């Protein structure tokens, strides 16, 4: 799929470059032809003015090696009275040329004595100031054709070489342009595969427990409670998973994740800590909260609470009974620094870069038992990013973990 796309992009680039180049080449060619035509007309006018005077302004004219001209002065009946000394044609052909020029209704144009290119002449017909008859100046367009032909040949050669070069350059550029798209495509594919896998597990558990219940229809609901509770737990897990997936999908589609407002941080975090106290007590973990009063944040209150909940939930999940989890808020001058630390199992250095990835779990089986799908820190990362803040981890295996969130003040 990407090979075809790369080729398509390359061809589009090449076509655009070819069209622009053709446009410029045609412009240059046209300008040059026009300027040579204007010069030819000017020369023919000058020759016509000086025809028969002998003196004339011939010096300037003879210098122009690009223009090959001669003139003829005719009587009223078209008979040739005088010609310039430099006649490049025979008397016969001259008479034909003059006859055709005089017959032509226009004052200037082209006449030919045969179909061959070298027998074509440009002409200018004027009436002399004294006397009757005509002055007809002929100019050989061959040098102009030669220059124009040269230009077209040069354009063709450089144009073809340019197309080949543009093709390779565009192929390279298209490859580079596709790298981020390819990466995001791969990430998306992996995300969908992981999500399906995660959803399949609770669905399978629900199915199995339903089969057990169905297998004993004579039993009472109370006696089947164990299986029903399993179904309840798994469906709640699934609902949370679906919520998390929707959140990340919204983050991916660049939808607005946060609705910003000013709010005091302390009461918001009080609510979060209160919600986690029963869980901490059940697990025998001491939950500390080091408040920093008077911090007012410009942020999304609900998302900040969600972020702290994820970090506290992880702290409580990965800290054994008897340990401690501490939430600390600091005021670094503007914005806020939220630090969640625990005395738990810690995270080895090699995992630090990966734990913020979607579905990444250090111990898959363990994490699943605790209800984790590996999305918590990915969501935390998205929330922090939406607030233009940063999140980092300081931890080592067996030495507890510290997550530090820095949120900027209002810009
Ligand atoms: P999960 O839902 O599995 O907890 P997270 O994205 O929140 O997913 O965390 C990813 C992984 O990082 C976890 O599976 C766990 O291995 C590790 N982790 C996160 N927080 C902590 C912590 N406080 N202590 C030890 N390990 C942690």
């Amino acid at each position: 799929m990407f090979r075809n796309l790369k080729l398509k992009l390359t061809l589009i680039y090449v076509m655009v470059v070819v069209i622009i180049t053709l446009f410029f080449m045609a412009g240059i060619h046209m300008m040059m032809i026009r300027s040579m035509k204007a010069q030819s007309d000017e020369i023919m006018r000058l020759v016509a003015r000086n025809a028969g005077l002998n003196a004339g302004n011939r010096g300037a004219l003879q210098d122009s090696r690009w223009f090959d001209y001669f003139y003829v002065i005719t009587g009223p009946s078209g008979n040739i009275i005088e010609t310039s000394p430099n006649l490049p044609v025979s008397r016969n052909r001259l008479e034909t040329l003059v006859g055709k020029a005089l017959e032509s209704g226009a004052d200037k144009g082209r006449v030919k004595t045969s179909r061959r290119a070298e027998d074509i002449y440009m002409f200018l017909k004027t009436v002399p100031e004294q006397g009757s008859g005509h002055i007809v100046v002929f100019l050989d367009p061959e040098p102009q054709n030669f220059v124009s032909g040269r230009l077209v040949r040069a354009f063709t050669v450089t144009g073809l070489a340019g197309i080949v070069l543009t093709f390779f350059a565009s192929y390279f550029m298209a490859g580079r342009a596709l790298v981020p798209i390819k990466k995001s495509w791969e990430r998306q594919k992996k995300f969908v595969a992981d999500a399906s896998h995660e959803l399949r597990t609770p669905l399978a558990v629900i199915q199995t427990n339903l089969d057990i219940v169905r297998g004993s229809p004579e039993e009472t609901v109370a006696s089947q409670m164990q299986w029903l509770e399993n179904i309840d737990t798994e469906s709640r897990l699934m609902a949370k998973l679906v919520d998390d997936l929707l959140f990340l999908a919204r983050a991916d589609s660049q939808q607005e994740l946060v609705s910003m407002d000013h709010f005091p941080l302390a009461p918001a975090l009080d609510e979060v800590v209160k919600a986690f106290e029963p869980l901490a007590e059940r697990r025998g973990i001491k939950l500390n909260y080091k408040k920093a009063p008077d911090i007012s944040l410009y942020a999304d209150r609900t998302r900040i609470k969600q972020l702290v909940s994820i970090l506290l939930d992880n702290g409580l999940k990965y800290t054994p009974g008897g340990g401690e989890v501490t939430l600390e808020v600091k005021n670094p001058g503007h914005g806020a620094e939220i630090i969640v630390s625990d005395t738990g199992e810690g995270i080895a250095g090699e995992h630090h870069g990966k734990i913020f990835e979607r579905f990444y779990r250090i111990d898959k089986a363990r994490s699943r038992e605790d209800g984790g799908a590996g999305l918590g820190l990915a969501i935390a990362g998205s929330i922090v990013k939406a607030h233009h803040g940063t999140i980092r981890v300081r931890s080592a295996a067996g030495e507890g973990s510290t997550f530090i969130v820095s949120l900027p003040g209002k810009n």
Side-chain angles (χ1 to χ4, degrees):
M1 170 185 145
F2 280 101
R3 268 185 75 87
N4 274 348
L5 196 58
K6 191 173 169 185
L7 209 64
K8 259 190 206 162
L9 266 181
T10 306
L11 292 180
I12 290 172
Y13 283 153
V14 171
M15 252 165 64
V16 170
V17 172
V18 166
I19 289 172
I20 293 174
T21 313
L22 273 180
F23 181 75
F24 276 108
M25 284 180 172
I28 292 171
H29 190 248
M30 230 161 69
M31 265 159 52
M32 189 155 159
I33 296 279
R34 272 195 183 184
S35 126
M36 289 185 78
K37 197 166 173 330
Q39 279 188 53
S40 311
D41 288 352
E42 184 55 35
I43 290 205
M44 287 195 289
R45 266 197 298 276
L46 208 60
V47 173
R49 254 203 312 272
N50 294 304
L53 296 182
N54 271 339
N57 193 3
R58 298 194 54 83
L61 291 175
Q62 268 160 358
D63 278 350
S64 65
R65 38 192 186 99
W66 291 111
F67 299 98
D68 215 351
Y69 59 86
F70 55 94
Y71 67 81
V72 175
I73 300 176
T74 68
S77 56
N79 55 317
I80 295 173
I81 299 171
E82 187 190 327
T83 70
S84 54
N86 59 332
L87 277 184
V89 292
S90 66
R91 188 78 189 180
N92 255 352
R93 279 183 59 210
L94 182 68
E95 275 168 6
T96 317
L97 283 173
V98 172
K100 285 193 174 182
L102 290 179
E103 272 166 29
S104 140
D107 286 341
K108 57 182 184 177
R110 284 172 180 248
V111 281
K112 52 187 174 188
T113 53
S114 80
R115 280 171 167 272
R116 292 185 321 180
E118 59 264 36
D119 291 335
I120 298 175
Y121 282 93
M122 294 165 72
F123 74 88
L124 178 79
K125 194 166 68 181
T126 57
V127 181
E129 277 173 24
Q130 288 126 20
S132 47
H134 286 98
I135 301 171
V136 190
V137 182
F138 293 95
L139 192 128
D140 185 1
E142 182 51 28
Q144 291 174 43
N145 294 343
F146 175 76
V147 172
S148 157
R150 266 276 173 98
L151 195 68
V152 170
R153 266 200 300 281
F155 278 167
T156 312
V157 172
T158 49
L160 286 177
I163 288 176
V164 174
L165 278 180
T166 310
F167 179 85
F168 286 113
S170 305
Y171 196 70
F172 173 73
M173 296 295 284
R176 293 200 60 161
L178 281 177
V179 169
I181 299 169
K182 225 168 163 174
K183 270 193 188 155
S184 124
W185 169 256
E186 295 296 340
R187 214 174 43 223
Q188 210 60 31
K189 244 170 57 182
K190 187 172 176 303
F191 181 58
V192 172
D194 287 342
S196 322
H197 182 77
E198 288 302 326
L199 285 169
R200 209 185 295 144
T201 316
L203 273 175
V205 177
I206 290 173
Q207 201 61 52
T208 315
N209 282 275
L210 269 176
D211 286 347
I212 297 173
V213 175
R214 268 213 221 98
S216 326
E218 68 288 351
E219 298 271 343
T220 61
V221 171
S223 69
Q224 307 253 41
M225 198 47 92
Q226 184 190 347
W227 318 119
L228 295 176
E229 265 167 13
N230 283 349
I231 293 172
D232 182 56
T233 310
E234 291 300 321
S235 50
R236 278 174 203 279
L237 251 175
M238 253 178 83
K240 181 172 182 307
L241 191 60
V242 169
D243 276 350
D244 288 352
L245 290 172
L246 276 176
F247 179 92
L248 289 168
R250 277 183 58 198
D252 279 349
S253 60
Q254 313 284 322
Q255 284 180 39
E256 202 55 60
L257 281 184
V258 288
S259 87
M260 309 289 269
D261 207 352
H262 288 282
F263 68 93
L265 189 57
L269 296 193
D270 277 343
E271 290 170 23
V272 181
V273 172
K274 271 208 181 74
F276 276 95
E277 269 164 1
L279 180 66
E281 210 175 299
R282 223 173 30 243
R283 295 203 171 159
I285 298 168
K286 192 164 177 254
L287 181 56
N288 308 309
Y289 178 22
K290 296 184 189 166
K291 293 185 194 188
D294 305 333
I295 294 184
S296 173
L297 210 56
Y298 182 69
D300 183 322
R301 192 176 192 273
T302 314
R303 296 287 176 223
I304 295 297
K305 281 175 67 182
Q306 186 184 2
L307 164 70
V308 175
S309 299
I310 291 170
L311 297 178
L312 284 182
D313 185 44
N314 277 351
L316 293 172
K317 243 181 348 194
Y318 301 107
T319 301
E324 284 188 25
V325 172
T326 306
L327 166 66
E328 189 179 353
V329 181
K330 284 186 184 167
N331 184 351
H334 56 88
E337 205 166 73
I338 301 170
I339 303 161
V340 177
S341 53
D342 61 61
T343 57
E345 60 195 51
I347 304 164
E350 78 239 42
H351 300 294
H352 286 189
K354 295 182 186 156
I355 52 173
F356 294 97
E357 286 173 11
R358 293 160 188 198
F359 298 108
Y360 188 81
R361 288 164 290 189
I362 297 171
D363 179 350
K364 280 201 183 220
R366 199 15 252 288
S367 183
R368 160 110 185 85
E369 265 170 36
D370 290 326
L375 293 177
L377 288 180
I379 291 175
S382 297
I383 294 174
V384 171
K385 194 172 156 205
H387 285 87
H388 307 290
T390 57
I391 180 166
R392 56 189 200 278
V393 59
R394 254 199 328 246
S395 178
E399 290 180 19
S401 313
T402 303
F403 286 87
I404 304 151
V405 175
S406 299
L407 296 170
K410 192 181 178 184
N411 297 322

